[in-house]
């Protein structure tokens, strides 16, 4: 199975994506994690990405797209959960192209729904107490919500129109949300 997991910052995407990858027996591919690994390793990619990440901005598409293209071509990515990509309309088009060239397609786009912006911000502030992430300050957290609303929320209708979107209520305990996700995925017909 090949799927995207989408949702605003603080919706619990990363946590749920790990469990979903295990559930479907696929790779968990998080662009945020790959960027953070590059920042930690002080690679050229990491140095460039860090400036954007620390400000809560998106890393430019040409950098992100090339990274995802390479990652999806790796042998363990026959089944995957893509977490944090695509985030712009341009990335949607590039992902279509990447999958087309691999003769693959998406089975489902999972959207974690948490409508209350303040709840998201409070969750992220709580995470900030332990995450050590430079982009987990209140100002940056608020900016990341704005960027999500402006750039990424508009992708949901694109996938809805394609008949791929499955929305899951993201409010509740991690276990409750996970159960809802697994039930929703188990009901999805696979290509
Ligand atoms: P995340 O861990 O998914 O919240 O991502 C952390 C940060 O990495 C984001 O705020 C962006 O700066 C960067 N990032 C992750 N994925 C993307 C993407 N698809 N496009 C651009 N920037 C991204």
């Amino acid at each position: 199975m090949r799927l995207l997991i989408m949702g605003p910052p603080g919706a619990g995407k990363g946590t749920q994506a790990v469990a979903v990858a295990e559930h479907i027996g696929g790779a968990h591919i998080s662009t945020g994690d790959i960027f953070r690994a590059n920042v930690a390793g002080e690679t050229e990619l990491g140095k460039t990405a860090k400036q954007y990440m620390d400000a809560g901005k998106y890393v430019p598409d040409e950098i992100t797209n090339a990274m995802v293209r390479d990652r999806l071509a790796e042998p363990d990515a026959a089944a995957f959960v893509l977490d944090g990509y695509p985030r712009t309309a341009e990335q949607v088009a590039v992902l279509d192209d990447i999958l087309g060239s691999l003769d693959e397609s998406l089975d489902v786009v999972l959207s974690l729904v948490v409508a209350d912006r303040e709840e998201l911000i409070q969750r992220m502030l709580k995470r900030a107490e332990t995450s050590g992430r430079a982009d987990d300050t209140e100002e940056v957290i608020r900016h990341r919500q704005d960027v999500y609303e402006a750039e990424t929320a508009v992708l949901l209708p694109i996938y809805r129109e394609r008949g791929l979107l499955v929305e899951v209520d993201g409010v509740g305990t991690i276990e409750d949300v996970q159960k809802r996700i697994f039930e929703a995925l188990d009901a999805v017909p696979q290509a």
Side-chain angles (χ1 to χ4, degrees):
M1 189 176 236
R2 301 184 183 96
L3 66 105
L4 310 182
I5 186 161
M6 301 188 68
K13 263 186 299 120
T15 307
Q16 298 297 347
V18 172
V20 170
E22 197 173 318
H23 187 71
I24 65 163
H28 170 221
I29 302 177
S30 155
T31 44
D33 284 354
I34 301 173
F35 282 134
R36 279 185 288 278
N38 277 277
V39 171
E42 296 180 3
T43 66
E44 281 310 310
L45 174 72
K47 283 179 203 159
T48 309
K50 184 173 170 26
Q51 307 162 37
Y52 297 96
M53 295 170 76
D54 286 356
K57 294 182 181 159
Y58 286 170
V59 177
D61 278 346
E62 63 271 19
I63 297 174
T64 311
N65 289 335
M67 190 174 86
V68 173
R69 194 178 285 277
D70 288 349
R71 183 63 187 89
L72 285 178
E74 286 179 31
D76 70 321
F80 60 78
V81 183
L82 201 44
D83 162 11
Y85 184 96
R87 265 173 150 108
T88 65
E90 149 98 23
Q91 292 179 10
V92 171
V94 171
L95 179 61
D96 288 343
D97 182 66
I98 295 171
L99 293 177
S101 66
L102 294 168
D103 211 13
E104 294 178 350
S105 58
L106 294 173
D107 297 297
V108 61
V109 175
L110 196 69
S111 167
L112 279 186
V113 182
V114 180
D116 182 349
R117 185 184 160 104
E118 282 310 310
E119 154 134 10
L120 292 166
I121 290 169
Q122 291 313 316
R123 283 188 188 188
M124 292 183 78
L125 286 171
K126 195 153 173 45
R127 181 180 80 183
E129 291 168 12
T130 53
S131 74
R133 278 176 57 161
D135 59 350
D136 270 352
T137 67
E138 179 158 359
E139 192 194 346
V140 175
I141 285 169
R142 288 189 182 276
H143 183 61
R144 290 171 67 204
Q145 295 295 338
D146 291 341
V147 174
Y148 174 82
E149 287 302 327
E151 305 249 10
T152 305
V154 294
L155 307 187
L156 297 175
I158 298 177
Y159 288 116
R160 181 178 292 117
E161 226 164 79
R162 294 186 190 181
L164 289 175
L165 193 70
V166 171
E167 291 181 297
V168 171
D169 179 3
V171 180
T173 64
I174 291 174
E175 293 73 24
D176 286 346
V177 176
Q178 181 177 308
K179 190 161 172 283
R180 285 176 210 143
I181 291 174
F182 287 179
E183 282 170 4
L185 289 182
D186 293 345
V188 169
Q190 288 187 57

